[in-house]
Amino acid sequence: MTLKVLFTGADGYVGALLGPYLLQQGMEAVGLDTGFYRKGWLYPTSAPRPAVLTKDIRSVTAEDLQGFDAIAHLAELSNDPLGQQSPGLTHEINHGGSVHLANMARKAGIKRFVYMSSCSVYGVGQPDQILDETSPVNPQTAYAECKVKVEEDLTKMAGDDFEPCFLRNATAYGASPRQRFDIVLNDLCGLAWTTGKITLLSDGSPWRPLVHALDMCQAVHLSLTAPADAIRGQRYNVGSNDQNYRVLEIAQIVARSFPGCELEVGQPSADNRSYRVNFDKIGKVLPAFKCRWTAEKGAQQMRQVFERIGMTAEEFTSDSFTRLKMLNRLRKTGLLDEKLFWTNPQVEAMA
């Protein structure tokens, strides 16, 4: 039987890749997205695109979910500066909206619920510490706090009639038609291409685990199809042990991938978020999972995309590919209200 999956955040950075990925795996995939970032389309693609329902997760009803076998939930506010600017709104959407969606899924009789969490829940690790799923969480931002709360609330719902699992993804990178340039490797690639120079605002000593967006898609697909007893209520880090990098190492990898790029290193930063992560568990929960990408391959992929489309500095710095810029623009122009609901239903319908 073909699995019918609703995936939220369909027009986001990872969602734009996940839809075609699931279709190519033989699933019947339908997207859901409120449409904030549809203006951004970095490059054309011939990949099949699923149908997308335009709706805010806070407004989803059980009727909207009828007929689906599973949900993969990606749609949340995903930028830490926005969380610092509007922590209450981040909690309302990311925590409240996600729990609401899970409740509607249960009401609609949907068992499998794959939640995209984040390694950011670990926050700050000790210098010699490598964190795994048994390590205490230590969220440093509203975004990470919400991930922890959703994990806790959905775990309480787990049972014979509900099978949530929690994918704690490392920091994403790589090319997507709905590109993001506000995440570390992608941002550095954009700087290297458009300016020929990377200037770190810190000494680059903090650790960051990385994972390619397509490897995240692989983990979602395997989580949707795994036996219930393997994933029900489980948290597992998504990435690989060899992709724990210092920010300086990421910058060096990018600089080498863009010939002639200069690298300038700054002073130690007040930002204390630094953590290394162990990724052994996902291989036990999802034995078929294996990262197919590395930071080197990802940086080369980005350069090849930039070359192919002739990306300009204006495109790199445009609102379309930085989440906070786009949301601020939609608010400033009155298209979104203070709660990030569309102010004009006709605008939402056209989004």
Side-chain angles (χ1 to χ4, degrees):
M1 184 180 69
T2 301
L3 197 68
K4 187 174 182 180
V5 179
L6 180 76
F7 66 105
T8 68
D11 289 314
Y13 169 62
V14 178
L17 296 171
L18 180 62
Y21 189 97
L22 295 180
L23 290 175
Q24 289 163 356
Q25 300 300 318
M27 292 187 172
E28 185 179 349
V30 177
L32 181 144
D33 199 288
T34 192
F36 295 156
Y37 310 118
R38 286 183 183 162
K39 185 175 184 294
W41 195 259
L42 184 63
Y43 59 87
T45 173
S46 61
R49 296 184 64 199
V52 177
L53 170 67
T54 299
K55 197 154 193 177
D56 192 296
I57 59 170
R58 293 170 288 180
S59 304
V60 168
T61 66
E63 288 71 28
D64 294 325
L65 307 181
Q66 290 295 329
F68 289 99
D69 302 306
I71 290 177
H73 178 36
L74 290 70
E76 291 182 342
L77 298 179
S78 57
N79 189 268
D80 285 336
L82 178 64
Q84 294 165 4
Q85 190 181 87
S86 305
L89 184 57
T90 297
H91 279 266
E92 177 186 319
I93 295 174
N94 290 13
H95 177 216
S98 297
V99 173
H100 168 75
L101 180 66
N103 280 321
M104 292 302 99
R106 291 181 74 192
K107 189 174 180 181
I110 298 172
K111 288 187 176 183
R112 186 65 53 96
F113 194 99
V114 177
Y115 177 66
M116 295 294 260
S117 189
S118 169
C119 284
S120 66
V121 299
Y122 298 119
V124 180
Q126 298 302 314
D128 298 325
Q129 186 179 21
I130 298 179
L131 302 161
D132 65 18
E133 294 82 357
T134 65
S135 301
V137 294
N138 187 17
Q140 301 293 301
T141 63
Y143 170 77
E145 289 170 2
C146 290
K147 294 295 189 187
V148 172
K149 289 184 175 182
V150 174
E151 287 186 9
E152 292 173 347
D153 288 347
L154 268 61
T155 297
K156 295 172 186 175
M157 300 181 191
D160 291 340
D161 66 338
F162 194 58
E163 304 161 0
C165 60
F166 311 101
L167 281 59
R168 289 181 173 175
N169 295 285
T171 300
Y173 67 90
S176 167
R178 301 284 190 190
Q179 191 61 42
R180 282 186 65 180
F181 286 125
D182 51 6
I183 44 183
V184 58
L185 186 143
N186 294 357
D187 178 40
L188 296 179
C189 287
L191 288 170
W193 175 257
T194 59
T195 70
K197 184 176 183 179
I198 294 172
T199 302
L200 293 184
L201 300 180
S202 72
D203 63 355
S205 61
W207 288 93
R208 290 288 186 277
L210 299 185
V211 65
H212 195 283
L214 284 172
D215 285 326
M216 294 168 66
C217 294
Q218 179 195 169
V220 171
H221 169 249
L222 293 172
S223 298
L224 288 167
T225 56
D229 290 344
I231 59 92
R232 185 189 294 110
Q234 292 294 321
R235 299 160 171 80
Y236 38 99
N237 301 326
V238 179
S240 58
N241 292 333
D242 58 355
Q243 290 193 76
N244 283 293
Y245 300 98
R246 290 189 184 274
V247 172
L248 176 59
E249 293 174 321
I250 300 170
Q252 290 168 337
I253 288 168
V254 171
R256 288 195 300 269
S257 300
F258 289 79
C261 178
E262 299 178 22
L263 174 59
E264 185 177 298
V265 181
Q267 299 299 312
S269 168
D271 186 348
N272 64 348
R273 288 175 299 162
S274 178
Y275 48 91
R276 283 184 288 174
V277 177
N278 177 279
F279 295 95
D280 290 343
K281 182 176 179 179
I282 190 171
K284 299 171 184 175
V285 177
L286 307 174
F289 178 81
K290 182 176 176 60
C291 282
R292 296 165 182 163
W293 290 82
T294 63
E296 289 85 356
K297 286 177 65 178
Q300 291 162 12
Q301 178 199 33
M302 296 290 287
R303 191 194 75 221
Q304 290 165 3
V305 167
F306 299 161
E307 289 173 345
R308 189 167 71 246
I309 67 173
M311 191 183 76
T312 65
E314 289 74 22
E315 287 175 307
F316 171 56
T317 58
S318 75
D319 297 346
S320 299
F321 306 118
T322 297
R323 295 297 176 252
L324 182 58
K325 286 183 182 179
M326 194 69 230
L327 290 175
N328 283 342
R329 178 180 177 180
L330 292 172
R331 276 171 148 178
K332 185 177 180 180
T333 55
L335 294 175
L336 293 177
D337 64 20
E338 292 183 355
K339 294 290 189 179
L340 297 187
F341 285 109
W342 294 103
T343 56
N344 186 334
Q346 290 182 332
V347 171
E348 181 176 3
M350 294 185 294

